[in-house]
C-alpha cells in the first residue's frame, strides 16, 4: 500500500531532478534552457495540482480547518509560482544570471517546503485520511 509520503515524496524527487536539469542548462548556457525550465514548471504545477486539488481539500474537510498547514503550503506554492514566472521570463530572454538567481531562491524555498510536507503534512494526512488514502491517491494519479 502506497502512502501520501511515498507517492508525493517520489514526485518531489522527480521535480528536483527536472530542476537540476534546468539549472545545468542555465549554468552551461545551453540553448535547451527554455524547454528544460518548462518541463520543470509543468512538473511542479502537476504536483501542486495533486495537492491543491485532492490532498488539501480532503485534509481541510476532515479537520474542519483551512487555516492550518495547508494554508501555509498554499502560500508557499504561490511564492514558488512567482519565482517560476521570473525564471521563465529570464529563460525566454536568455538571461542565465537572472535565471540562476531566481533558481537559487527557489531552491531554498523548495527544500524548506518539501521538508515540512514530508516530515509533517504527509504523515498527518496519512493518519487523518487513512480510510480514504487509496481513494485519494487514485484521484491524484488521474490528474
Amino acid at each position: 500500500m502506497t502512502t501520501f509520503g511515498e507517492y508525493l515524496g517520489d514526485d518531489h524527487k522527480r521535480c528536483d531532478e527536472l530542476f537540476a536539469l534546468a539549472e545545468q542548462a542555465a549554468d552551461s548556457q545551453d540553448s535547451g534552457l527554455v524547454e528544460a525550465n518548462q518541463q520543470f514548471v509543468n512538473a511542479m504545477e502537476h504536483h501542486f495540482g495533486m495537492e491543491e486539488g485532492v490532498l488539501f481539500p480532503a485534509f481541510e474537510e476532515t479537520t474542519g480547518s483551512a487555516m492550518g498547514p495547508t494554508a501555509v503550503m498554499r502560500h508557499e506554492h504561490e511564492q514558488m509560482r512567482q519565482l517560476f514566472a521570473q525564471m521563465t521570463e529570464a529563460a525566454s530572454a536568455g538571461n542565465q544570471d537572472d535565471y540562476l538567481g531566481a533558481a537559487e531562491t527557489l531552491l531554498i524555498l523548495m527544500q524548506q517546503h518539501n521538508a515540512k510536507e514530508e516530515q509533517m503534512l504527509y504523515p498527518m494526512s496519512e493518519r487523518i485520511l487513512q480510510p480514504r488514502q487509496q481513494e485519494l491517491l487514485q484521484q491524484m494519479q488521474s490528474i
Side-chain angles (χ1 to χ4, degrees):
M1 180 171 81
T2 302
T3 66
F4 295 126
E6 291 166 343
Y7 184 72
L8 293 168
D10 285 348
D11 200 52
H12 281 165
K13 290 180 186 118
R14 183 179 69 89
C15 291
D16 289 346
E17 290 167 3
L18 291 170
F19 180 62
L21 291 173
E23 278 190 308
Q24 288 170 3
D27 197 40
S28 64
Q29 300 187 356
D30 188 312
S31 62
L33 173 58
V34 171
E35 182 180 332
N37 177 70
Q38 195 57 55
Q39 289 178 352
F40 163 67
V41 171
N42 289 347
M44 289 295 293
E45 287 295 350
H46 178 259
H47 183 86
F48 291 169
M50 291 188 294
E51 291 177 339
E52 294 172 355
V54 178
L55 182 64
F56 295 176
F59 184 93
E60 292 164 354
E61 178 186 334
T62 302
T63 62
S65 173
M67 299 308 298
T70 54
V72 173
M73 296 300 109
R74 278 193 180 93
H75 176 71
E76 291 178 1
H77 287 180
E78 288 308 312
Q79 290 176 314
M80 285 187 258
R81 285 182 171 114
Q82 290 171 9
L83 290 165
F84 299 161
Q86 291 174 25
M87 291 164 61
T88 299
E89 184 178 324
S92 295
N95 189 330
Q96 285 85 359
D97 289 339
D98 284 355
Y99 186 90
L100 291 169
E104 185 176 341
T105 302
L106 178 63
L107 177 62
I108 295 165
L109 182 56
M110 280 194 322
Q111 287 173 333
Q112 294 171 348
H113 177 84
N114 291 354
K116 285 185 257 187
E117 286 184 336
E118 292 173 10
Q119 295 170 16
M120 294 170 35
L121 180 63
Y122 298 161
M124 287 173 61
S125 297
E126 289 163 11
R127 284 190 304 276
I128 294 168
L129 299 170
Q130 197 284 323
R132 296 184 58 203
Q133 185 166 233
Q134 294 311 303
E135 166 204 341
L136 295 169
L137 285 167
Q138 287 175 347
Q139 288 178 26
M140 286 181 204
Q141 291 166 353
S142 71
I143 290 178

